[in-house]
Amino acid sequence: LAKTTQPISMDSYEGQEVNITCSHNNIATNDYITWYQQFPSQGPRFIIQGYKTKVTNEVASLFIPADRKSSTLSLPRVSLSDTAVYYCLVGAFGGGGNKLTFGTGTQLKVEL
Amino acid sequence: KAGVTQTPRYLIKTRGQQVTLSCSPISGHRSVSWYQQTPGQGLQFLFEYFSETQRNKGNFPGRFSGRQFSNSRSEMNVSTLELGDSALYLCASSLRRGGDVNTEAFFGQGTRLTVV
């Protein structure tokens, strides 16, 4: 399974855009990139998933360069409620099973 | 629709005892995975069940076991509890169709196990 590297922590202010980058140099051809959000004492919550280029949903965007060795989660106009740990996961789903490998995650702190 | 339900939410056990945790997946989901989360080790995969069969297993000792029933509900058992087993145990369900790509796993609130 591909190992991921993320910043341990990031600070931001309300209304700003936050970009969290994840490195995954040994990503495999059939690996997808998925981001989860976790609040204290709760289970992780799916944010977004992509394979290449750009994916956007109602809460975030995911940018994946052509070599797929990194990815960037972009959170537009963050609020205090976005303070959480964000995990970048790389792995194959479906036939590969649902064995999610979580790294250390990035603790995002949003202030007023 | 109802989310993933884990019971109990909190549990206190003594060293040497055993414990059984329960997970009810989202209706229609057939894959259930278990994870252990501790401050020191983070989120670690325990095992995955699909159609009552264990499909994947993480690097945990044999004291950790599980099973899945025909209605996709799953139980996890830890025998001979150790202090280091104190953790948040999370269950995730997903809609797995053979060969298809799953878009996401839905996690429950977890069971907080404290071993004293």
Side-chain angles (χ1 to χ4, degrees), chain A residues 32 34 36 38 41-46 49 87 93-103, chain B residues 9 31 33 35 37 43 45 48 56-57 90 94 96 100-105 107-109 112:
Chain A
Y32 280 71
T34 311
Y36 281 81
Q38 187 179 26
S41 298
Q42 292 188 25
R45 184 173 70 100
F46 174 92
Q49 183 186 72
Y87 294 96
F93 293 88
N98 294 318
K99 180 178 179 177
L100 301 180
T101 300
F102 288 81
Chain B
R9 288 294 311 278
S31 172
S33 302
Y35 297 82
Q37 186 170 33
L43 265 158
F45 172 81
E48 179 207 3
N56 283 295
K57 191 176 188 304
L90 292 157
S94 57
R96 177 183 173 179
D100 288 350
V101 175
N102 291 321
T103 56
E104 59 188 290
F107 284 82
Q109 296 278 63
R112 173 74 63 185

Side-chain angles (χ1 to χ4, degrees), chain A:
Chain A
L1 290 168
K3 181 180 178 181
T4 61
T5 303
Q6 306 172 231
I8 293 175
S9 64
M10 293 183 70
D11 293 328
S12 184
Y13 294 95
E14 273 202 319
Q16 289 191 329
E17 177 184 74
V18 170
N19 295 310
I20 306 175
T21 297
C22 177
S23 298
H24 28 79
N25 291 320
N26 59 338
I27 188 170
T29 302
N30 59 345
D31 283 344
Y32 280 71
I33 300 157
T34 311
W35 286 80
Y36 281 81
Q37 174 194 55
Q38 187 179 26
F39 298 109
S41 298
Q42 292 188 25
R45 184 173 70 100
F46 174 92
I47 301 174
I48 197 167
Q49 183 186 72
Y51 184 79
K52 62 179 179 181
T53 63
K54 177 184 175 182
V55 180
T56 298
N57 61 22
E58 63 276 10
V59 298
S61 294
L62 179 60
F63 299 91
I64 306 169
D67 65 7
R68 305 201 324 124
K69 294 188 176 184
S70 67
S71 60
T72 299
L73 173 71
S74 180
L75 305 171
R77 298 178 298 282
V78 295
S79 64
L80 293 175
S81 62
D82 292 317
T83 295
V85 178
Y86 292 82
Y87 294 96
C88 163
L89 281 71
V90 173
F93 293 88
N98 294 318
K99 180 178 179 177
L100 301 180
T101 300
F102 288 81
T104 53
T106 298
Q107 172 66 63
L108 172 65
K109 182 179 178 183
V110 180
E111 299 174 291
L112 287 172

Side-chain angles (χ1 to χ4, degrees), chain B residues 23-82:
Chain B
C23 172
S24 293
I26 291 172
S27 179
H29 285 195
R30 297 170 64 188
S31 172
V32 174
S33 302
W34 289 90
Y35 297 82
Q36 180 196 64
Q37 186 170 33
T38 60
Q41 299 296 320
L43 265 158
Q44 294 185 286
F45 172 81
L46 281 156
F47 28 66
E48 179 207 3
Y49 285 87
F50 178 78
S51 292
E52 303 177 63
T53 303
Q54 189 180 88
R55 303 291 175 152
N56 283 295
K57 191 176 188 304
N59 297 321
F60 279 81
R63 300 185 297 107
F64 292 81
S65 63
R67 59 177 176 169
Q68 185 180 36
F69 302 94
S70 58
N71 61 358
S72 293
R73 189 177 72 84
S74 177
E75 287 183 348
M76 190 192 97
N77 184 276
V78 187
S79 63
T80 319
L81 284 166
E82 300 176 0

